[in-house]
């Protein structure tokens, strides 16, 4: 089928919940993807920070094929070696020692909220304005953006919001009924918003003082995206619960909430569960994906390439007055414009580079961590051409 035929069929049969580009992708390899017409693109968005290893990484593909031949799924009422091994690996790379496996970022956050409430026996969750934590009813309520939740009222009780980056607002919001604070270490969907230096450490200290749990939502920032395995490591903080998803399975949908035994033990059999969570296929994919991340030193490459890309983008900033700010960390970068960025996305796509627009005026770049210098140069050259056409 060609692009138009696919679009027509989609519009007829798929609920129209996505504002899509007029592009039908068929396959990818490394940092490149192809559309059904045979055109290639440099993927600078990596499926919303999912394809950290690029597309079709041979080790992940092999692990999936091998596992699919043995067993795709079995119930969580049985043990599997794949689940136990993945959980062990997650504890080795994170500051936690117990894991619950889920299927999506929203589900991991739901689980984290349930765990915090069960452990503390308290109900209130404090989140931040402009945050994004998912689309289920509890996570959309935690999300600090009205547009995502207004049509879906009534929303669950027990959530309140404070400005991101303001420690005094957080301190004032805590009450004796507060179970946890949920935060993104960098607000991704909200426009790649970096908190002020020291904020996360201050939040950690505040949580300790007030006996409140800190849930760090690393769904977007985890697995090397920001130049550390987890963004919490930039300030050396120790969250009580970390949630991860996106890049975890090398493209395969799998997620986790991770905690320390003291807190994790609040969950007893029957308290939480998922039919598909931690299925052998997902676990095999995630174990392979994390091993590739470690074997190929992709976390330090993310830092190195991220610094290079940010430096090149700063050069563009000095050329175009409508570039307000370049910010980010590792390979999660935002280019804030004073103009609407939808046209930039469209024009960059026509020139063979896929980028994303978030929060209306921010170009979000989140390429695979395997991106090389030549490819980074191509991204910057294409953006340069697009910006030149727009000025
Ligand atoms: C920080 C953060 N948390 C949670 C989610 C929700 O993840 P999912 O779409 O896998 O449910 C996202 C998705 O963009 C995210 O960026």
């Amino acid at each position: 089928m060609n692009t138009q035929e696919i679009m027509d069929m989609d519009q007829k049969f798929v609920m129209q919940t996505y504002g899509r580009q007029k592009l039908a992708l068929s396959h990818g390899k490394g940092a490149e993807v192809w559309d059904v017409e045979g055109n290639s693109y440099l993927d600078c968005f990596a499926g919303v920070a999912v394809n950290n290893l690029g597309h079709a990484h041979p080790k992940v593909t092999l692990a999936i094929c091998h596992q699919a031949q043995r067993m795709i799924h079995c119930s969580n009422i049985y043990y599997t070696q794949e689940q136990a091994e993945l959980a062990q690996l997650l504890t080795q790379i994170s500051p936690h020692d117990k894991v619950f496996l889920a299927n999506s970022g929203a589900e991991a956050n739901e689980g984290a909220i349930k765990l915090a409430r069960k452990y503390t026996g308290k109900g209130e969750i404090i989140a931040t304005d402009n945050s994004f934590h998912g689309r289920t009813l509890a996570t959309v309520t935690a999300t600090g953006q009205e547009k995502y939740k207004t049509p879906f009222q009534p929303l669950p009780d027990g959530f309140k919001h404070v400005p991101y980056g303001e420690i005094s607002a957080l301190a004032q919001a805590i009450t004796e009924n507060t179970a946890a604070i949920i935060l993104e270490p960098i607000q991704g969907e909200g426009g790649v918003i970096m908190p002020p230096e020291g904020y996360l450490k201050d939040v950690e200290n505040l949580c300790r003082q007030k006996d409140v749990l800190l849930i760090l939502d690393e769904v977007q920032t985890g697995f090397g995206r920001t130049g550390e395995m987890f963004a919490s490591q930039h300030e050396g903080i120790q969250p009580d619960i970390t949630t991860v998803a996106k890049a975890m399975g090398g493209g395969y949908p799998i997620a986790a909430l991770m905690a320390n035994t003291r807190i994790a033990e609040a969950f007893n059999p029957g308290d939480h569960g998922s039919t598909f969570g931690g299925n052998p296929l997902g676990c095999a994919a995630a174990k392979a994906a994390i091993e590739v991340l470690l074997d190929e030193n992709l976390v330090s490459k993310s830092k190195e390439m991220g610094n290079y890309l940010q430096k090149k983008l700063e050069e563009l900033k000095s050329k175009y007055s409508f570039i307000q700010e370049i910010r980010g960390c590792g390979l999660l970068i935002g280019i804030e414009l004073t103009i609407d960025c939808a046209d930039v996305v469209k024009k960059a796509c026509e020139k063979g580079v896929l980028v994303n627009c978030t929060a209306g005026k921010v170009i979000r770049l989140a390429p695979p961590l395997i991106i090389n210098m030549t490819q980074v140069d191509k991204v910057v050259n294409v953006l340069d051409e697009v910006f030149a056409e727009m000025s």
Side-chain angles (χ1 to χ4, degrees):
M1 283 198 273
N2 66 27
T3 308
Q4 193 57 52
E5 287 163 342
I6 294 170
M7 279 170 56
D8 290 345
M9 197 171 182
D10 179 286
Q11 274 156 18
K12 193 159 174 204
F13 297 112
V14 177
M15 290 193 198
Q16 298 296 296
T17 61
Y18 301 103
R20 299 197 208 260
Q21 301 288 303
K22 288 192 174 139
L23 186 63
L25 295 180
S26 66
H27 63 285
K29 183 86 200 134
E32 266 185 296
V33 289
W34 281 262
D35 68 15
V36 291
E37 319 288 343
N39 304 306
S40 75
Y41 303 83
L42 194 48
D43 183 2
C44 234
F45 191 38
V48 201
V50 166
N51 302 107
N52 282 14
L53 316 178
H55 296 268
H57 193 289
K59 288 195 177 147
V60 177
T61 307
L62 192 67
I64 290 174
C65 292
H66 178 70
Q67 187 58 43
Q69 284 169 338
R70 289 165 55 82
M71 180 184 271
I72 292 177
H73 172 78
C74 76
S75 164
N76 274 309
I77 65 168
Y78 307 110
Y79 295 99
T80 66
Q81 183 176 331
E82 289 75 22
Q83 190 174 123
E85 283 180 352
L86 173 62
Q88 181 188 44
L89 183 55
L90 286 168
T91 66
Q92 286 163 352
I93 61 165
S94 79
H96 300 290
D97 54 25
K98 278 279 184 336
V99 172
F100 174 88
L101 293 161
N103 309 286
S104 69
E107 257 186 74
N109 285 333
E110 285 274 344
I113 292 165
K114 284 175 71 179
L115 180 60
R117 286 183 170 168
K118 179 95 197 296
Y119 174 75
T120 60
K122 297 175 181 179
E124 192 174 83
I125 306 291
I126 303 177
T128 57
D129 294 339
N130 196 46
S131 58
F132 189 84
H133 298 293
R135 307 280 193 158
T136 60
L137 278 173
T139 59
V140 89
T141 308
T143 291
Q145 302 185 55
E146 288 307 317
K147 64 181 182 209
Y148 293 123
K149 46 190 172 184
T150 307
F152 306 109
Q153 288 166 355
L155 300 170
D157 283 340
F159 292 85
K160 61 181 173 188
H161 292 83
V162 295
Y164 187 63
E166 283 183 29
I167 193 68
S168 57
L170 205 45
Q172 274 173 23
I174 293 175
T175 69
E176 57 189 22
N177 193 32
T178 306
I181 291 166
I182 183 165
L183 275 184
E184 293 160 271
I186 296 172
Q187 290 186 330
E189 207 274 343
V192 192
I193 307 294
M194 309 282 292
E197 220 180 304
Y199 173 69
L200 295 176
K201 194 78 200 158
D202 290 345
V203 175
E204 183 192 31
N205 291 336
L206 183 66
C207 287
R208 299 285 168 268
Q209 270 167 32
K210 304 274 187 180
D211 210 13
V212 162
L213 297 184
L214 173 57
I215 303 171
L216 214 58
D217 178 344
E218 295 242 26
V219 166
Q220 188 157 153
T221 51
F223 301 107
R225 171 56 54 195
T226 71
E228 293 285 354
M229 183 60 85
F230 297 103
S232 59
Q233 292 168 267
H234 290 292
E235 289 196 13
I237 67 160
Q238 167 82 46
D240 297 294
I241 303 174
T242 300
T243 55
V244 287
K246 292 200 189 281
M248 181 172 165
Y252 188 89
I254 183 166
L257 66 111
M258 307 186 286
N260 294 335
T261 302
R262 177 176 56 88
I263 295 165
E265 279 176 347
F267 269 168
N268 294 313
D271 276 342
H272 196 49
S274 161
T275 299
F276 290 122
N279 67 73
L281 186 61
C283 290
K287 181 165 171 278
I290 296 168
E291 283 168 355
V292 169
L293 204 60
L294 297 170
D295 293 348
E296 297 186 10
N297 276 325
L298 294 182
V299 179
S300 54
K301 282 195 185 145
S302 165
K303 187 178 280 179
E304 204 182 303
M305 274 305 140
N307 287 342
Y308 179 68
L309 177 53
Q310 281 217 39
K311 196 174 119 269
K312 300 285 272 184
L313 292 171
E314 283 295 342
E315 287 166 22
L316 289 192
K317 180 171 176 276
S318 55
K319 268 174 88 172
Y320 301 102
S321 61
F322 53 77
I323 302 182
Q324 184 125 322
E325 192 182 26
I326 309 291
R327 54 179 181 252
C329 203
L331 283 169
L332 180 59
I333 296 176
I335 309 169
E336 179 156 355
L337 306 178
T338 54
I339 52 171
D340 193 274
C341 60
D343 269 358
V344 178
V345 173
K346 191 163 163 281
K347 284 177 190 287
C349 178
E350 283 160 10
K351 293 175 190 293
V353 172
L354 303 185
V355 299
N356 165 254
C357 168
T358 192
K361 293 200 159 82
V362 181
I363 301 286
R364 178 171 36 169
L365 304 180
L369 311 187
I370 52 149
I371 194 167
N372 62 36
M373 215 174 245
T374 315
Q375 290 167 324
V376 167
D377 288 341
K378 176 174 174 184
V379 174
V380 176
N381 288 340
V382 163
L383 286 174
D384 194 1
E385 280 174 32
V386 170
F387 291 150
E389 283 171 21
M390 297 183 72
S391 46

